[in-house]
Amino acid sequence: MAYLASPSLTLPTVPGGARLAAAPPRRRRMAVVRADVREIFMPLLSATMKEGKIVSWTASVGDRVAKGDPVVVVESDKADMDVETFHDGIVAAVLVPVGGTVPVGTPIVLLAKSEEEVPLALARAQALSQGQGQEPPPPPDATAAAPPAPTPVAAPTKGVASPYAKKLAKQHRVDIAEVVGTGPHGRVTAADVEAAAGINPKPNAAPPPPVGSPPPPLAGGALLPPVPGGTVVPFSTMQAAVSRKMVDSLSVPTFRVGYSVITDKLDALYEKIKSKGITKTVLLAKAAAMALAQQPVVYASCRDGKSFSYNSNINIAVAVAIEGGLLTPVLEDADKLDIYLLAQKWRVLLKKARTKQLQPSEYSSGTFSLSNLGMYGVDKFDAILPPGQGAIVAVGASRPTVVANKDGFFSVKNEMLVNVIADHRIIYGADLAAFLQTFAKIVEDPESLTL
């Protein structure tokens, strides 16, 4: 809310302190004009959000809205979310069109309190579009505007020179006493003598690269040349967020531990209860949560590189591929919920993920991650550790495999390969081995999953 105040007026005085008017001065009240024009800014919808994209406007110019009404749908780095207004008013000007992307904190729409303020809002919108809404730049520094001081000219030296400089002076018949030295304490160098003789210095040639060495890497920020005939597609907001997280994860020292798990009993249990909406992913998430309860360090987290914290909740973030990106809905307290309630919660989260309606608390609270590509027939793969988490488990497909028991007899059993990728700053090989052994026991004897 802007306030415009008219300055108070002061009557002039004459010498001696006598006023021109005999009547005592009356204090004038300041006239205040209030321009009720509100700005709605691009909100911060998640901790990793840098910018937002306008998906659609639910309110049009001229519409009257009340506090709490949705005004616009914004695509963040994870979901499409309705943005509500905190004020009553009239939508006077839309500053960002549908499809536009702006940084967090940028004005996107102006509200006028009444129809009388609509012209003020339009003038404000025009000023913002011309960049007048920003503060004027600071005045130039007086010291920067001052002319540079003249460079003092060094006095000729008295023959203080290096032996090689003296040799060059004699060779080129240069009076070394008249040469101005640029070396330490005015010492004349060979370059000074060559300059006095009018000889251009030879450029220092870079040493040739060793035979068989790879070409130097591109400088930071350099762009690779485009592929002829290719089509450049800019990242969506979600893809840009995924890209940033993947780059951030490269700074974490990780290691991998693999394990093979027999799934005959788990497969039989799945066939028995899948009609009740239980998926294989939910069974695996429940098994992982139960194993994590016995190995708290595996779902700990290190965020600053100097310490780590044990998390109080086992929240399983499950990777879900959607059109144009990847989301990780979180099954909170997965160790405490029974398998049927967990499956019900997963169906709700999955529907929200595919329609990009997840709330920040539903995708940013994970303490351990699970990625399952078994339904695509993938045998084995490595996942990338999400920043801020201690470990992620990558689950492959269950396939018939010839195995030998402890007595040496061969049989065919369904076997599943599991890889766990962990932050080696806080989790060690023995920790993952213990977790995988517990996980395998639960999967190979899954009756406890339904208790």
Side-chain angles (χ1 to χ4, degrees):
M1 192 175 290
Y3 297 90
L4 303 177
S6 60
S8 60
L9 300 178
T10 304
L11 294 176
T13 61
V14 296
R19 295 185 180 274
L20 293 177
R26 297 178 61 187
R27 181 174 296 175
R28 299 183 59 183
R29 297 181 62 185
M30 299 176 64
V32 179
V33 180
R34 299 187 178 184
D36 290 313
V37 177
R38 304 272 190 177
E39 294 179 344
I40 296 180
F41 301 93
M42 176 62 70
L44 179 67
L45 301 177
S46 71
T48 59
M49 180 177 172
K50 304 296 183 183
E51 59 185 18
K53 179 180 179 181
I54 303 298
V55 177
S56 63
W57 286 98
T58 55
S60 303
V61 173
D63 290 350
R64 183 174 291 276
V65 294
K67 180 180 179 180
D69 288 346
V71 177
V72 61
V73 179
V74 171
E75 177 188 347
S76 70
D77 55 353
K78 294 293 185 181
D80 294 349
M81 300 185 66
D82 291 330
V83 176
E84 301 174 351
T85 174
F86 292 98
H87 309 285
D88 300 340
I90 299 172
V91 179
V94 171
L95 304 179
V96 182
V98 173
T101 301
V102 293
V104 171
T106 303
I108 58 176
V109 65
L110 299 181
L111 295 184
K113 187 174 182 180
S114 64
E115 294 182 358
E116 287 75 14
E117 279 79 26
V118 170
L120 294 174
L122 296 177
R124 175 64 176 162
Q126 184 177 3
L128 288 172
S129 65
Q130 296 175 357
Q132 297 176 4
Q134 301 177 357
E135 295 184 1
D141 191 357
T143 58
T151 304
V153 179
T157 60
K158 300 292 184 180
V160 180
S162 65
Y164 182 59
K166 292 179 180 180
K167 179 180 179 181
L168 284 178
K170 184 177 181 180
Q171 179 181 348
H172 296 290
R173 297 183 180 182
V174 175
D175 186 359
I176 202 166
E178 300 297 327
V179 178
V180 177
T182 60
H185 306 290
R187 186 182 181 89
V188 178
T189 64
D192 298 330
V193 175
E194 291 177 343
I199 301 174
N200 295 327
K202 297 180 181 180
N204 294 328
V211 178
S213 63
L218 291 173
L223 298 178
L224 294 172
V227 178
T231 302
V232 177
V233 180
F235 277 165
S236 66
T237 307
M238 181 182 298
Q239 289 171 327
V242 172
S243 175
R244 288 193 300 268
K245 284 192 172 185
M246 296 303 99
V247 172
D248 291 343
S249 68
L250 295 178
S251 63
V252 178
T254 59
F255 72 109
R256 295 155 178 79
V257 175
Y259 208 87
S260 59
V261 183
I262 303 300
T263 63
D264 287 341
K265 293 184 178 180
L266 182 72
D267 296 336
L269 175 63
Y270 169 66
E271 292 296 330
K272 181 179 178 181
I273 62 177
K274 69 177 182 180
S275 60
K276 299 179 181 180
I278 311 297
T279 65
K280 187 70 74 69
T281 297
V282 172
L283 289 171
L284 293 171
K286 179 65 175 178
M290 294 175 63
L292 288 171
Q294 301 182 39
Q295 298 293 329
V297 71
V298 180
Y299 65 98
S301 58
C302 175
R303 298 182 182 273
D304 58 2
K306 301 177 182 179
S307 62
F308 70 99
S309 58
Y310 286 101
N311 294 301
S312 57
N313 301 93
I314 299 178
N315 300 336
I316 308 295
V318 183
V320 175
I322 65 170
E323 183 178 358
L326 177 73
L327 289 175
T328 53
V330 177
L331 289 168
E332 295 184 342
D333 296 322
D335 59 318
K336 300 175 183 177
L337 302 179
D338 65 67
I339 195 68
Y340 302 101
L341 186 57
L342 201 64
Q344 180 181 353
K345 188 174 183 179
W346 176 243
R347 287 194 296 270
V348 174
L349 289 172
L350 195 58
K351 182 178 179 180
K352 285 186 175 183
R354 289 172 175 167
T355 57
K356 300 178 68 175
Q357 296 297 319
L358 286 173
Q359 298 298 311
S361 61
E362 294 173 326
Y363 60 74
S364 60
S365 58
T367 56
F368 181 87
S369 290
L370 182 147
S371 182
N372 178 20
L373 292 181
M375 71 281 289
Y376 299 108
V378 175
D379 290 326
K380 180 177 64 174
F381 69 101
D382 283 339
I384 297 180
L385 180 66
Q389 294 186 18
I392 179 172
V393 59
V395 181
S398 178
R399 296 188 179 280
T401 307
V402 177
V403 296
N405 60 16
K406 60 182 180 180
D407 297 323
F409 293 99
F410 291 93
S411 61
V412 177
K413 294 183 179 295
N414 291 331
E415 187 179 62
M416 176 177 69
L417 298 180
V418 177
N419 278 347
V420 181
I421 297 87
D423 185 345
H424 213 336
R425 295 173 298 179
I426 58 175
I427 303 172
Y428 306 109
D431 300 321
L432 287 192
F435 164 75
L436 285 170
Q437 288 173 351
T438 305
F439 177 79
K441 289 179 181 179
I442 295 172
V443 170
E444 292 174 357
D445 188 12
E447 293 301 324
S448 59
L449 294 176
T450 57
L451 297 180

